[in-house]
Amino acid sequence: MTSLHTALLQSSGRPGDVAHNLKVLDDAARTAAAHGAGLLVAPEMFLTGYAIGDDVPKLAEPADGDSADAVAEIAGRHGLAVAYGFPERDGATVYNAAQLIAPDGQRLATYRKTHLFGCFEREWFTPGETPVVQAELGGVRIGLMICYDVEFPENVRAHALAGTDLLLVPTAQMHPFQFVAESLVPVRAFENQMYVAYVNRTGPEGEFEFVGLSTLAGPDGVARARAGRGEELVFADVDPEFLAASREHNPYLRDRRPGLYASLV
């Protein structure tokens, strides 16, 4: 199996301006494809901006809405898969969602954030109820999660037990919690024997200050790519052969004793 060359788009785009953010995504996809990437990952709520307050319900769209069609067109034109965050409208309900689009424009997976962070998210969103959402891409089993979700070890372990190879985590990580990007994400990758792509917003937005530091960590706990604090596009490989070898030598999942953990639930 060949490696999946992956691009992480660290950007906040322009809050409230979907057309502009689609242009940013298009430009990043063009650059990523020129570098041989087969997958581009954008941050949480990338299409609309995160700190948009009253505009959340106004800008929310169905998973198969106009913006999804626009992203599918971008993916198809540049020949790579695209994962991105957006506010999803389903009837009268709005979710903080992430979606994975295949290189042929097919919608592969839509995930709704299960653990909402803070008063802002709880005011505007309904939590999702499906913790493990997966899709296959070039022989790699992709899982989706959003920001705060990755800070719950049970969430990531559920993906490990379901066979996720690469966990995509569009995020809006803010000051002063940068240790999550710096330390927690590589540990999650190591203890669950998977790759984790943690893709952040950057700079000030409303009351928040996003810290950047997007990373793609491997199953050995080593960051294959690490962005700084500004707008950036970084690349790293997801290597299925390395992952298989790492899983063979790391006994964490084999040595579990589930019968001892009943009190956790």
Side-chain angles (χ1 to χ4, degrees), residues 29 39 44 203 238:
L39 170 64
E44 180 177 3
V238 172

Side-chain angles (χ1 to χ4, degrees), residues 121-159:
E121 290 190 10
R122 295 189 185 101
E123 178 179 1
W124 294 110
F125 300 108
T126 295
E129 296 295 334
T130 305
V132 177
V133 173
Q134 298 172 310
E136 296 289 328
L137 180 66
V140 175
R141 185 170 293 182
I142 306 287
L144 290 171
M145 195 173 281
I146 299 174
C147 197
Y148 194 39
D149 291 329
V150 81
E151 298 178 38
F152 292 82
E154 302 90 344
N155 252 22
V156 187
R157 180 53 53 87
H159 270 273

Side-chain angles (χ1 to χ4, degrees), residues 59-69 84 86-91 99 107 110:
L59 295 177
E61 296 185 31
D64 60 353
D66 290 344
S67 292
D69 289 343
Y84 65 99
F86 72 108
E88 180 200 354
R89 176 176 295 285
D90 185 359
Q99 189 150 251
R107 289 189 301 114
T110 306

Side-chain angles (χ1 to χ4, degrees), residues 2-245:
T2 59
S3 295
L4 177 61
H5 197 44
T6 303
L8 314 184
L9 172 59
Q10 180 166 286
S11 172
S12 290
R14 184 182 296 163
D17 191 339
V18 174
H20 174 84
N21 297 336
L22 285 168
K23 177 64 166 57
V24 173
L25 191 66
D26 188 20
D27 290 344
R30 181 181 302 106
T31 301
H35 283 77
L39 170 64
L40 170 67
V41 188
E44 180 177 3
M45 293 282 286
F46 180 72
L47 284 189
T48 61
Y50 181 88
I52 55 174
D54 292 346
D55 285 339
V56 168
K58 298 175 187 175
L59 295 177
E61 296 185 31
D64 60 353
D66 290 344
S67 292
D69 289 343
V71 175
E73 193 276 331
I74 290 170
R77 180 153 39 83
H78 297 296
L80 80 173
V82 178
Y84 65 99
F86 72 108
E88 180 200 354
R89 176 176 295 285
D90 185 359
T93 306
V94 178
Y95 299 95
N96 184 338
Q99 189 150 251
L100 177 64
I101 305 291
D104 64 1
Q106 177 186 356
R107 289 189 301 114
L108 293 179
T110 306
Y111 170 79
R112 295 164 173 174
K113 189 173 186 178
T114 54
H115 295 75
L116 301 180
F117 179 79
C119 297
F120 172 77
E121 290 190 10
R122 295 189 185 101
E123 178 179 1
W124 294 110
F125 300 108
T126 295
E129 296 295 334
T130 305
V132 177
V133 173
Q134 298 172 310
E136 296 289 328
L137 180 66
V140 175
R141 185 170 293 182
I142 306 287
L144 290 171
M145 195 173 281
I146 299 174
C147 197
Y148 194 39
D149 291 329
V150 81
E151 298 178 38
F152 292 82
E154 302 90 344
N155 252 22
V156 187
R157 180 53 53 87
H159 270 273
L161 297 176
T164 292
D165 300 318
L166 169 60
L167 184 61
L168 306 183
V169 190
T171 191
Q173 181 64 64
M174 57 198 68
H175 178 80
F177 305 111
Q178 49 266 31
F179 71 91
V180 173
E182 294 170 338
S183 302
L184 186 147
V185 168
V187 169
R188 287 285 180 270
F190 179 73
E191 68 189 4
N192 290 289
Q193 288 300 288
M194 62 174 63
Y195 287 90
V196 180
Y198 187 79
V199 187
N200 200 10
R201 306 178 68 81
T202 181
E205 188 178 332
E207 63 185 286
F208 307 110
E209 176 74 30
F210 298 114
V211 300
L213 302 175
S214 298
T215 188
L216 195 153
D220 53 0
V222 175
R224 301 300 195 276
R226 173 81 73 186
R229 295 301 185 99
E231 303 270 332
E232 197 169 349
L233 186 67
V234 298
F235 298 87
D237 287 330
V238 172
D239 184 346
E241 291 186 2
F242 181 85
L243 178 59

